[in-house]
Amino acid sequence: MLPSSFINSLKGLPGFDEQAFIRVHEQQEPITSLRFNTRKTGDKKPNHFFEQASPIPWCKNGFYLKERPLFVLDPYWHAGVYYVQESSSMFLHYVLEQMVPQENEWQVLDLCAAPGGKTTLLANYFDKGLIVANETIKSRNSILVENTIKWGADNIVVTQNDPSHFKALPQFFDLVLIDAPCSGSGLFRKQPQFSNEWHLGLVKEARKTQESILHEAYQITENQGFIIYSTCSFSPEENELLTTWFLSHYPVKQVQVDVPEAWNIKVSEGGYRFWPHLLKGEGFYCTVFQVLGHTTHHSVKIKKSLFHTCISKPQLPFEIFTNEIESDFITYKNALWCISKSLLKELKNIDNQLNIIKIGACCAFLNTTSVPDHQLAQSNFIKTHFPQFECNLNWAINYLKRNSFKNTYTKKGWHLITYNNLGLGLANFLINRINNAYPKILKILHYYL
């Protein structure tokens, strides 16, 4: 049962139909959707359970599935071929298409990034830009790192900072995305148990946090830059009323995008509302602001860099191949990393200002350089000389369970384990056995089987 106070708070909002809204929560299952990683698949997409998929109109790489499979048993999911993401959240792709040419080399911040759905979307859209993905909570940051590793992009920097820490980067970002912490009512259909815990106090608490985050976002967005704000809440206090508050307190304006009427996305106070009884998606709200100007300009104060660019190609017991024109190697926190060369200047601005967790792709830790890092196997832009070991579905599942194997093959040494030519991880082939190097934290647990 949805709380009566919750239902009453929605009356009068554009698109709200009380009976239809209650009915869709009581009678319909949540919809499963995903977005393809075109950096790995190109135009070809795996067709095993996607054969009956239907396209999401506001995201060209997004698809609805007819039913929800057990993704954890699909090697394509582990290889970063797709990201399982709520369809309403993919509206970000359409907003970006309307706002900015894709080729722009923007500096973008995903301020509340975990688990990484919107970060990976941004990384593909701005593939020549810098994507800073920030998450405050350590446990959620670990999930963010895992998902960005799977995605394999070289332009993502993961940080773990409170939003207030970004004051060190005034007017630095062209675009700040805020998928704000909220009361979460938009996900009641997916997580019905949360409806029993909902109360107006949660909304008020979330509203305070959202105001604080928007304040910080304004400070770090450059003149004429953009702030995209979204929630998975239905409450107007976190959406339309917050929008009105921000417009009245800061020199910003709302940016409108043309949304086809057939999509049934409702325009509300210049923002965009997703109702599950009107479209195939969960509750979602999104609006776009443009910063009109700061009264004073503050430049970033450059601190001593903690990373060092490698003058020559690093000496490792295994070969790494990259496009030397586009990529560069750096050392940071006792590890060797590879990142897009065009981002080095921007990195020097943020280095030592933020708590950086991940930069591009890690190749190896400097105290164990004989052991290649797992990220080499899932990177879209690094190649190694390791022989490729192509495996079938059964072998792939056992590898992802981190099982051990006997070596009945002739080649010894490190191998790249692939499934349909997509990297899953690494393994070291020895004389009598194969050492499975798939990270323990990522392995398929037995209760899934």
Side-chain angles (χ1 to χ4, degrees):
M1 295 291 293
L2 297 173
S4 58
S5 57
F6 168 63
I7 294 296
N8 291 334
S9 71
L10 306 182
K11 291 180 178 179
L13 291 173
F16 180 67
D17 180 325
E18 182 175 345
Q19 295 305 314
F21 183 77
I22 293 174
R23 190 163 52 249
V24 79
H25 281 81
E26 292 178 342
Q27 299 177 1
Q28 290 191 18
E29 294 293 324
I31 295 164
T32 301
S33 52
L34 54 81
R35 178 174 43 80
F36 282 108
N37 184 356
T38 53
R39 298 287 178 260
K40 290 197 173 184
T41 63
D43 295 328
K44 294 181 64 178
K45 300 177 178 63
N47 61 6
H48 51 316
F49 53 65
F50 306 128
E51 291 176 340
Q52 297 179 334
S54 56
I56 296 172
W58 46 82
C59 182
K60 64 181 180 182
N61 296 316
F63 290 84
Y64 297 108
L65 299 187
K66 192 172 183 181
E67 58 186 20
R68 187 180 182 88
L70 192 56
F71 291 111
V72 74
L73 296 183
D74 180 27
Y76 286 120
W77 178 72
H78 294 273
V81 168
Y82 59 84
Y83 189 96
V84 183
Q85 186 174 25
E86 212 290 302
S87 61
S88 300
S89 294
M90 297 186 210
F91 184 62
L92 172 62
H93 186 274
Y94 181 77
V95 170
L96 293 173
E97 283 186 320
Q98 302 301 303
M99 285 173 47
V100 56
Q102 190 164 344
E103 63 272 12
N104 275 16
E105 298 179 3
W106 277 18
Q107 294 163 196
V108 179
L109 171 63
D110 187 352
L111 192 52
C112 313
K118 293 181 178 66
T119 293
T120 55
L121 190 155
L122 289 167
N124 278 23
Y125 196 88
F126 297 102
D127 62 337
K128 302 296 184 184
L130 171 67
I131 311 299
V132 177
N134 181 72
E135 175 54 49
T136 302
I137 302 172
K138 185 176 181 179
S139 59
R140 288 173 56 81
N141 194 284
S142 298
I143 297 169
L144 173 62
V145 169
E146 290 174 15
N147 285 326
T148 56
I149 289 173
K150 285 181 185 177
W151 207 248
D154 67 337
N155 59 337
I156 299 176
V157 175
V158 178
T159 63
Q160 185 178 324
N161 288 85
D162 185 85
S164 62
H165 296 169
F166 284 85
K167 286 188 177 75
L169 301 171
Q171 303 168 41
F172 180 76
F173 294 99
D174 301 285
L175 169 65
V176 176
L177 170 66
I178 305 170
D179 190 28
C182 66
S183 60
S185 54
L187 299 179
F188 281 173
R189 189 161 61 152
K190 282 191 169 185
Q191 300 167 321
Q193 70 277 13
F194 289 167
S195 64
N196 299 323
E197 303 171 4
W198 187 93
H199 54 85
L200 290 172
L202 286 176
V203 175
K204 292 179 180 179
E205 184 179 342
R207 169 65 183 266
K208 291 180 181 178
T209 300
Q210 292 152 2
E211 288 185 4
S212 175
I213 292 175
L214 273 172
H215 170 76
E216 303 299 345
Y218 169 77
Q219 307 296 330
I220 59 179
T221 306
E222 71 166 0
N223 289 332
Q224 306 305 312
F226 297 93
I227 299 171
I228 301 178
Y229 172 85
S230 66
T231 73
C232 56
S233 169
F234 290 113
S235 298
E237 292 86 353
E238 302 175 73
N239 299 322
E240 291 90 347
L241 295 179
L242 182 64
T243 293
T244 301
W245 170 85
F246 193 49
L247 289 169
S248 64
H249 286 77
Y250 295 84
V252 297
K253 70 174 183 179
Q254 273 185 297
V255 177
Q256 303 298 307
V257 298
D258 293 326
V259 179
E261 189 174 343
W263 293 355
N264 273 344
I265 299 170
K266 297 301 178 182
V267 180
S268 180
E269 299 294 330
Y272 305 91
R273 269 193 173 268
F274 289 66
W275 297 101
H277 58 279
L278 295 179
L279 47 73
K280 293 177 68 176
E282 303 306 316
F284 186 69
Y285 175 86
C286 178
T287 191
V288 184
F289 303 101
Q290 185 172 26
V291 174
L292 298 180
H294 294 274
T295 54
T296 58
H297 178 75
H298 300 282
S299 59
V300 176
K301 296 179 181 179
I302 306 298
K303 295 184 179 181
K304 183 179 179 181
S305 181
L306 297 180
F307 74 82
H308 303 280
T309 305
C310 298
I311 300 175
S312 58
K313 191 172 182 179
Q315 296 297 314
L316 297 172
F318 49 86
E319 284 292 327
I320 300 175
F321 303 98
T322 64
N323 185 329
E324 295 183 1
I325 298 176
E326 298 180 358
S327 301
D328 219 332
F329 292 96
I330 64 172
T331 58
Y332 179 76
K333 289 188 175 180
N334 199 38
L336 178 69
W337 303 79
C338 185
I339 194 166
S340 172
K341 187 171 293 189
S342 63
L343 304 183
L344 287 177
K345 180 181 178 181
E346 286 76 12
L347 269 179
K348 290 177 181 178
N349 286 325
I350 69 174
D351 183 30
N352 214 0
Q353 313 276 11
L354 302 173
N355 178 26
I356 297 175
I357 307 298
K358 177 182 181 295
I359 304 178
C362 181
C363 303
F365 284 91
L366 299 180
N367 57 348
T368 57
T369 53
S370 60
V371 180
D373 193 87
H374 170 72
Q375 297 184 40
L376 289 176
Q378 300 211 297
S379 171
N380 299 341
F381 60 99
I382 301 176
K383 303 297 180 184
T384 70
H385 81 303
F386 302 137
Q388 181 173 316
F389 182 83
E390 177 70 17
C391 54
N392 59 26
L393 178 60
N394 181 61
W395 214 100
I397 295 298
N398 277 284
Y399 172 78
L400 295 167
K401 288 164 59 179
R402 215 171 183 275
N403 288 342
S404 57
F405 303 91
K406 289 184 178 181
N407 186 5
T408 58
Y409 309 95
T410 57
K411 289 185 177 180
K412 307 299 185 294
W414 286 100
H415 283 63
L416 175 65
I417 307 301
T418 61
Y419 178 77
N420 284 349
N421 293 313
L422 293 159
L424 294 177
L426 298 166
N428 194 7
F429 285 48
L430 305 176
I431 295 175
N432 297 316
R433 70 181 189 277
I434 298 173
N435 282 354
N436 191 332
Y438 195 67
K440 293 180 181 179
I441 195 171
L442 301 179
K443 73 176 183 178
I444 299 176
L445 300 176
H446 289 286
Y447 62 76
Y448 285 112
L449 304 173

